[in-house]
Amino acid sequence: MLRPLLESLPLKLMSLAFAVLLWLLIAGERTSEMGMSVPVELQDFPRELEITGEPVNAVEVRLRASPGMIQRIVPGEVSAQVNLVGFGEGEHIVHLTEDSIRMPFGVKVVKISPAVLTFRLERTLRKVVPVQPRLLGRPAEGFEVAEVTSQPAEVRLEGPTSRVDEVESAFTEPVSVEGARDTVSETVTIGIADPLLRVLVSPRVKVTARIRERHETRTIRGVAVEVRGAPGPSRPARVEVTVSGPASALAEIADKDVRAFVDAARAASGRAPVVVEIGPGHPGVEVRECIPADVALRAPAGAR
């Protein structure tokens, strides 16, 4: 029974010697260590959820391997992998271990820092907010910005619920109106102060700043009220009229160009609204206010 065993004994002894020699070579090989920053890969990210707060995008790992292997490691070969399967809204704590690190064969992880990651997830929210154009500079002397619009006037945002709820508007890149005498239009990019928010569709809008001659107001006192359709003067017989318009047009208007009248047919309870007209040749001039806005009328003879 010992004969078959003795016949293979030399071969078995040779294999044992080779294994011992290989073990001695491996055990006696020098090792090196290297620290590097590696990205955090979030796998199977849940749909319609967002990370809030300051996410950890990279961790520091310390690796150990043979000198030759350590020198051949490149950053793209190593990463920290976190699987988010089953994660819902709220706070989640993840512990990183050697099994969490993707690395070449034969490399050992000595240390991970930080080894504990905290994630807070919120539902994704979408919201439409108005665009707030921004202007830079001032129009030419004697001119002003009459109106600022954007096309489109609104933009759709998305991001974590708590962050989207805080946003009331989106701003644009500044549009210069320095020294302008006429309308300025420019296509610019929309900006959002919160980096966790995103602009859906196109982030570009057309901003239009309508420039006009500076408008002023002027008050003309003692304007006589003409009574139409009834005898006698109104009470009071004169009113105060405030007009507005381009400064150059207001400078040319005379008191006689402003006329006030009442129509007795429109009187109610003995009072009628005052109508103010601006004579021709004064484009852009508008009536802002008439004080008083209505006057009393004397009842026709024979009326009770």
Side-chain angles (χ1 to χ4, degrees), residues 62-182:
R62 191 154 193 84
L63 306 176
R64 179 183 294 163
S66 65
M69 183 171 290
I70 281 288
Q71 294 175 3
R72 291 194 297 270
I73 296 176
V74 295
E77 293 182 301
V78 185
S79 64
Q81 298 179 331
V82 177
N83 195 302
L84 301 183
V85 169
F87 281 30
E89 287 186 272
E91 186 175 274
H92 303 273
I93 298 176
V94 176
H95 291 261
L96 297 180
T97 65
E98 183 174 358
D99 293 337
S100 307
I101 307 301
R102 179 178 64 86
M103 56 191 172
F105 179 77
V107 179
K108 179 177 178 58
V109 176
V110 178
K111 182 180 180 182
I112 306 172
S113 180
V116 179
L117 305 181
T118 301
F119 298 95
R120 183 168 184 81
L121 302 180
E122 287 187 22
R123 285 289 172 188
T124 300
L125 177 66
R126 295 170 184 84
K127 180 180 179 180
V128 176
V129 298
V131 176
Q132 194 70 37
R134 290 194 297 163
L135 301 183
L136 185 65
R138 294 181 178 181
E141 182 67 27
F143 289 81
E144 64 183 4
V145 178
E147 182 185 31
V148 183
T149 60
S150 71
Q151 183 61 38
E154 297 177 324
V155 65
R156 189 175 179 86
L157 308 178
E158 75 170 8
T161 298
S162 63
R163 310 295 276 267
V164 173
D165 280 338
E166 296 177 354
V167 178
E168 298 299 330
S169 63
F171 59 88
T172 69
E173 293 175 320
V175 174
S176 177
V177 293
E178 184 65 33
R181 295 172 175 269
D182 201 355

Side-chain angles (χ1 to χ4, degrees), residues 16 21 27 75 78 91 99 102 107 113 134 142 146-147 154 157 189 205 241 248 250-251 258 261 283 286-287 298:
L16 178 61
L21 178 62
V78 185
E91 186 175 274
D99 293 337
R102 179 178 64 86
V107 179
S113 180
R134 290 194 297 163
E147 182 185 31
E154 297 177 324
L157 308 178
T189 301
V205 298
V241 177
S248 59
L250 288 185
V258 179
F261 69 91
E286 300 176 346
V287 177
R298 189 177 69 180

